[in-house]
């Protein structure tokens, strides 16, 4: 049985406490790599999902979900999460209250089956049990209408956002409300250009804004740029490009997997961006570049983060 999320008043109180705990941290105005050499390394890391206090992060590497804990300002060596490692798992996302986690897996739907499910793309939910986790539960057909269902994101009221392809194979964002203890039939989210492909939504807990990728539907495999859109009553406002500082130049970096951080004002995402070098290098610069390349800066996927304050704090037309 899926647990009903916390009431709105409890959730708001929790969000306020979490935001207060992050208030002292200065916003990062330019993208920075997250925990280089510890979490962001040579293995290809993606999709960070934080606990509400920001001191534990789950993320994926290849076919498994890892976990790391922050103590005295330092992140621990990542370990395989207790519910992962046997099947192909990726795309973790945390409920805003920390009570459960949703992720993508190819694990078989039928209990005891020996072969993975086809498509590598169903959503599963695992609930917090004390200091650990329970047994992952396959989400219903209202969510898993496609075997290519990816990129979950959870709102405070339990609504679940995700992507899957339409009949023409073009990906779009969909949402399923959580009511009366179950997920409701999913509907396509009317955000961005209706003719474009939309990917990897990161929904704010109160659903007031969303960060997502948008790309030309004809360019299969192209994630496009990051955009932000704000809720305006019963619809989404115009999608705003996050700009070259984050998105890079056309044809440059491959970037995807947007997640909203525990302060609800920081964007975490996956990117293969590298440090640009200006030649000639001094011996010191060459040594520093080698250390970065041996640690993380080698063109593989890493986790990056940047403040959303310029967009969240800007006046918006209603």
């Amino acid at each position: 049985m899926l647990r009903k999320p916390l009431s709105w008043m409890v959730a708001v109180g929790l969000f306020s406490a979490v935001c207060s705990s992050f208030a002292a941290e200065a916003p990062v105005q330019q993208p920075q790599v997250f925990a280089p050499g510890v979490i962001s390394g040579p293995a290809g890391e993606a999709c960070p999902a934080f606990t509400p206090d920001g001191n534990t992060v789950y993320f994926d590497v290849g076919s498994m979900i890892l976990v790391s804990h922050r103590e005295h300002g330092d992140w621990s060596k990542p370990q395989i999460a207790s519910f992962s490692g046997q099947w192909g798992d990726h795309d973790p996302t945390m409920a805003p209250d920390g009570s459960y986690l949703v992720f993508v897996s190819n694990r078989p739907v039928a209990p005891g089956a020996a072969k993975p499910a086809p498509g590598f793309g169903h959503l599963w939910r695992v609930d917090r049990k004390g200091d650990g986790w329970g047994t992952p539960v396959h989400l219903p057909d209202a969510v898993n209408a496609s075997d290519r269902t990816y990129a979950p994101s959870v709102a405070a009221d339990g609504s679940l956002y995700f992507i899957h392809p339409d009949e023409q194979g073009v990906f779009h964002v969909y949402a399923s409300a959580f009511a009366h203890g179950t997920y409701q039939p999913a509907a396509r989210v009317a955000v961005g250009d209706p003719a474009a492909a939309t990917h990897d939504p990161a929904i704010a807990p109160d659903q007031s804004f969303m960060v997502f990728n948008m790309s030309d539907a004809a360019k299969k495999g192209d994630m496009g740029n990051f955009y932000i859109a704000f809720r305006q009553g019963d619809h989404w406002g115009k999608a705003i490009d996050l700009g070259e500082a984050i998105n890079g130049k056309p044809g440059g970096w491959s970037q995807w997997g947007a997640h909203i951080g525990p302060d609800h004002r920081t964007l975490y995402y996956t990117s293969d961006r590298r440090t640009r070098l200006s030649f000639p290098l001094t011996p010191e610069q060459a040594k520093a570049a080698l250390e970065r390349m041996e640690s993380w800066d080698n063109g593989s996927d890493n986790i990056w983060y940047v403040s959303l304050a310029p967009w969240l704090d800007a006046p918006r037309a209603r």
Side-chain angles (χ1 to χ4, degrees):
M1 178 64 68
L2 297 175
R3 286 191 294 175
K4 190 174 183 178
L6 296 177
S7 70
W8 176 250
M9 292 183 65
V10 173
V12 168
L14 177 59
F15 298 157
S16 298
V18 171
C19 288
S20 297
S21 69
F22 283 87
E25 296 186 13
V28 176
Q29 302 296 345
Q30 294 294 322
Q32 294 187 18
V33 67
F34 176 59
V38 180
I39 292 176
S40 292
E45 303 79 25
C47 303
F50 292 87
T51 53
D53 63 5
N55 288 327
T56 298
V57 61
Y58 294 83
F59 60 98
D60 71 58
V61 171
S63 62
M64 61 190 69
I65 294 173
L66 306 185
V67 59
S68 175
H69 305 281
R70 182 168 57 182
E71 297 181 359
H72 308 296
D74 296 324
W75 289 98
S76 65
K77 181 180 179 180
Q79 305 292 328
I80 300 172
S82 62
F83 55 84
S84 189
Q86 183 178 10
W87 303 99
D89 302 329
H90 59 111
D91 282 9
T93 188
M94 185 74 67
D97 64 8
S99 64
Y100 64 93
L101 189 148
V102 177
F103 62 100
V104 180
S105 182
N106 72 342
R107 60 187 63 203
V109 176
K115 294 183 179 180
F120 201 72
H122 275 189
L123 299 188
W124 292 72
R125 170 173 162 164
V126 60
D127 284 4
R128 174 69 71 181
K129 298 292 184 182
D131 293 333
W133 296 97
T135 300
V137 175
H138 182 255
L139 294 187
D141 291 345
V143 172
N144 285 315
S146 167
D147 62 7
R148 298 171 66 195
T149 303
Y150 308 124
S153 185
V154 183
D157 67 358
S159 296
L160 183 61
Y161 290 68
F162 51 90
I163 64 171
H164 66 67
D166 61 16
E167 294 80 1
Q168 287 73 45
V170 179
F171 278 91
H172 301 289
V173 175
Y174 294 82
S176 171
F178 190 74
H180 309 296
T182 189
Y183 291 98
Q184 305 302 303
R188 180 174 164 181
V189 178
V191 65
D193 182 352
T198 50
H199 311 266
D200 294 17
I203 191 69
D206 62 0
Q207 301 179 76
S208 61
F209 70 90
M210 182 197 314
V211 178
F212 61 101
N213 288 82
M214 185 164 62
S215 64
D216 185 338
K219 296 181 178 179
K220 301 294 179 64
D222 178 16
M223 297 297 288
N225 284 356
F226 284 119
Y227 290 78
I228 189 170
F230 293 90
R231 176 81 70 179
Q232 297 184 351
D234 62 354
H235 67 281
W236 289 96
K238 181 181 178 181
I240 304 167
D241 194 310
L242 292 189
E244 187 174 305
I246 295 176
N247 286 315
K249 296 181 179 179
W253 306 309
S254 173
Q255 305 193 129
W256 50 281
H259 284 64
I260 304 298
D263 64 352
H264 311 147
R265 297 176 60 84
T266 301
L267 172 67
Y268 289 81
Y269 61 97
T270 306
S271 177
D272 64 356
R273 67 189 293 165
R274 299 181 62 178
T275 303
R276 293 190 176 96
L277 299 178
S278 297
F279 297 98
L281 302 176
T282 66
E284 292 77 14
Q285 291 171 329
K287 181 179 179 180
L290 177 60
E291 290 177 349
R292 286 197 310 273
M293 287 186 286
E294 291 178 335
S295 174
W296 65 271
D297 197 4
N298 52 19
S300 64
D301 285 332
N302 293 124
I303 297 170
W304 289 73
Y305 66 108
V306 67
S307 175
L308 290 172
W311 296 272
L312 299 183
D313 296 340
R316 299 188 290 275
R318 295 294 180 182

